[in-house]
Amino acid sequence: MILIAIISSFPINSASISKEMLDNPFPSVENLEAFDFESRELTYPGIEINLMTTETGDEVYSYFGHTSLEVRIPGYIPLFYDYGYFSFSDGFYLDFVLGRLFYNVYATDGEMRISGFKSANRTVHRTPLDLSPKMKNAVLEFLSYNTEPENNTYLYDYYLDNCATRVRDIYNEATGGEFKRWAEGMKTGSTLRKSANLYLDKNPIVSFTLSYLQGPAIDKPITLYEECFLPLSLMKAIEIFEGVESTTVYEAEGRKELRDLSLNTWCLIFSVSLYFIALFFYSSRKKVVRRIMDIIMSVLYLYFFILSIVLIFVMCFTNHAVTYFNANILYANPLILIMAAEALRGRRCSKRFAYSIISMSVIAIAFIMKALFPLVFIQENLGILMVMSSIYLINITYYFLQKEREENIG
């Protein structure tokens, strides 16, 4: 347990990745600041630039939605400048695991893109950007420069550098920094995790898994500018900033955009249900009934064993900074394999009992420290703590049920 604590506190910080691989090929802010927006010529007098916001899709990577810039020039087909392209090429999965996922920006046929979103039954909104004709031309020139083959690749980050933040940065530069100054003065009362969970929580298993893997880096209070990593948040912020309303190009049918219940609510329901189901099965006099529950619990143990192995790997050997200093490794770690082995073999739960007592003590300390020092122990992992507490309480209860059964037989 001490070793686990040391690992969680001192990640090796991407020891497996060279510095060259971590360099962003096209940093957003640096390139925007180096580009001269003010002295551009008025090449296309009738140009329109719109923010295109696509709401959530079916795939996990599309849960947050999508942001593009639409450029409309009289006499030309509308173009989508889209920062959301990635390729399942050789090495994609390794790069994804190591946190060095590179995305591309391309200019594509706007009508075809909208048609594709309609086919996927995804709601699409259009927001006109209130920029001068000269500034719109400057934005187009930057987009053209950005889509050149030597400039169209960037290092993707879920929260800090994605399709929405790239467009946000461009819009901010086009407003002379006014948008950022305004949005940074707006407190959201949220964090990156809370804002992301509005979309992730509609799939509790995905949300729980990601919540376990992500550490306190995403639990700090954020401003509206930071929340614009989400496409819909960016759209709403620009609407307020400009005093405009978006139009809906296509309205999805029968799609659930946001969560019904929060992750913590799902975890509470699961934890209480699991405990009473286990109590019912483990109270049975029939050994076969108790063995069924053992098998169910062993599957849960194996899930957390695999999850904890993944967490140790991404904390220590990858560029996934959101996983660093993750306290969840203390509550569910590879030692849980001991419980899985004992449950599968159908042995007495003495080892499960001992491990559960230690783990419950760690969780109790975590609750106390969170209550005493909320500004230090900021990691939002209440759902994780509830589920693990339920699992450990089940083992403690089962141990005393076994003892009582043996005493009655004796």
Side-chain angles (χ1 to χ4, degrees):
M1 190 67 75
I2 295 175
L3 177 61
I4 297 295
I6 293 174
I7 289 174
S8 69
S9 300
F10 300 99
I12 300 173
N13 292 343
S14 314
S16 65
I17 306 175
S18 67
K19 182 180 183 300
E20 289 73 22
M21 288 300 294
L22 294 177
D23 286 343
N24 196 331
F26 196 88
S28 179
V29 175
E30 290 88 337
N31 280 281
L32 283 165
E33 290 178 346
F35 193 85
D36 185 4
F37 278 78
E38 296 299 329
S39 60
R40 299 290 163 173
E41 296 182 359
L42 184 59
T43 307
Y44 302 104
I47 186 174
E48 294 179 18
I49 296 185
N50 302 305
L51 177 77
M52 302 301 294
T53 305
T54 307
E55 297 195 22
T56 186
D58 295 323
E59 301 84 0
V60 174
Y61 64 80
S62 68
Y63 278 6
F64 292 164
H66 186 61
T67 295
S68 307
L69 282 176
E70 180 190 48
V71 176
R72 304 179 75 91
I73 302 173
Y76 295 85
I77 64 170
L79 292 178
F80 264 38
Y81 286 85
D82 194 331
Y83 288 84
Y85 282 96
F86 62 92
S87 173
F88 291 102
S89 57
D90 293 341
F92 169 84
Y93 293 104
L94 178 60
D95 286 341
F96 174 78
V97 169
L98 294 177
R100 55 189 189 194
L101 189 57
F102 293 99
Y103 270 48
N104 301 100
V105 54
Y106 293 112
T108 57
D109 186 324
E111 293 178 354
M112 290 184 62
R113 287 292 283 157
I114 292 176
S115 178
F117 290 133
K118 288 181 179 179
S119 298
N121 193 34
R122 297 176 65 179
T123 298
V124 182
H125 305 282
R126 176 182 284 118
T127 311
L129 299 185
D130 186 18
L131 304 172
S132 68
K134 187 176 179 180
M135 187 55 69
K136 290 177 182 178
N137 275 264
V139 169
L140 175 57
E141 287 193 44
F142 177 80
L143 291 171
S144 300
Y145 166 73
N146 201 172
T147 51
E148 292 175 0
E150 64 271 23
N151 300 329
N152 74 345
T153 302
Y154 71 98
L155 184 62
Y156 181 85
D157 185 281
Y158 306 104
Y159 303 105
L160 305 179
D161 205 344
N162 61 22
C163 66
T165 65
R166 287 268 159 169
V167 171
R168 176 201 66 188
D169 293 345
I170 293 171
Y171 178 71
N172 176 62
E173 191 67 26
T175 63
E178 287 297 322
F179 178 68
K180 183 177 182 179
R181 286 188 285 272
W182 170 79
E184 283 190 332
M186 306 283 285
K187 305 299 182 183
T188 63
S190 184
T191 64
L192 293 174
R193 188 193 301 270
K194 288 178 181 177
S195 295
N197 280 354
L198 290 173
Y199 300 86
L200 292 174
D201 286 357
K202 65 180 183 177
N203 187 326
I205 296 176
V206 170
S207 184
F208 183 87
T209 300
L210 291 177
S211 183
Y212 172 83
L213 292 174
Q214 297 179 103
I218 58 172
D219 291 315
K220 300 171 184 177
I222 59 172
T223 65
L224 180 59
Y225 194 74
E226 293 168 299
E227 192 178 61
C228 287
F229 80 94
L230 292 169
L232 273 178
S233 294
L234 177 60
M235 182 188 80
K236 293 173 182 176
I238 291 178
E239 284 180 332
I240 297 171
F241 180 72
E242 292 193 350
V244 300
E245 290 187 7
S246 302
T247 58
T248 300
V249 179
Y250 173 75
E251 184 75 40
E253 299 178 359
R255 178 182 293 283
K256 181 174 65 174
E257 302 291 353
L258 299 177
R259 67 187 181 191
D260 291 324
L261 299 174
S262 70
L263 177 62
N264 286 343
T265 303
W266 279 116
C267 288
L268 178 62
I269 294 171
F270 176 82
S271 301
V272 173
S273 301
L274 180 66
Y275 180 82
F276 283 104
I277 290 172
L279 183 63
F280 174 78
F281 274 77
Y282 280 144
S283 298
S284 175
R285 295 181 177 273
K286 297 181 180 180
K287 185 176 180 179
V288 65
V289 176
R290 299 196 298 271
R291 286 294 295 139
I292 291 173
M293 196 64 216
D294 270 343
I295 293 172
I296 293 173
M297 293 301 294
S298 66
V299 171
L300 272 177
Y301 302 147
L302 289 172
Y303 164 75
F304 282 107
F305 168 73
I306 294 171
L307 209 56
S308 62
I309 291 293
V310 171
L311 178 54
I312 289 176
F313 175 78
V314 295
M315 276 198 299
C316 295
F317 301 107
T318 79
N319 192 42
H320 291 289
V322 294
T323 67
Y324 298 166
F325 309 105
N326 192 334
N328 290 329
I329 196 66
L330 298 175
Y331 318 127
N333 56 66
L335 295 177
I336 206 168
L337 186 62
I338 297 171
M339 300 205 298
E342 189 176 69
L344 284 172
R345 296 169 67 184
R347 300 292 182 88
R348 295 183 74 259
C349 68
S350 55
K351 292 180 181 178
R352 278 179 276 177
F353 173 75
Y355 182 82
S356 297
I357 288 292
I358 295 173
S359 298
M360 281 300 296
S361 300
V362 173
I363 290 175
I365 292 172
F367 275 117
I368 293 172
M369 298 303 286
K370 282 176 176 289
L372 294 177
F373 308 102
L375 298 180
V376 177
F377 297 91
I378 63 172
Q379 184 169 346
E380 169 50 51
N381 54 3
L382 180 59
I384 309 295
L385 293 174
M386 284 192 291
V387 171
M388 298 315 300
S389 296
S390 175
I391 289 174
Y392 296 137
L393 284 173
I394 286 171
N395 292 324
I396 294 171
T397 302
Y398 186 31
Y399 174 79
F400 286 111
L401 287 173
Q402 277 188 336
K403 287 197 68 174
E404 182 181 358
R405 190 177 295 111
E406 290 171 357
E407 290 173 358
N408 289 338
I409 293 175

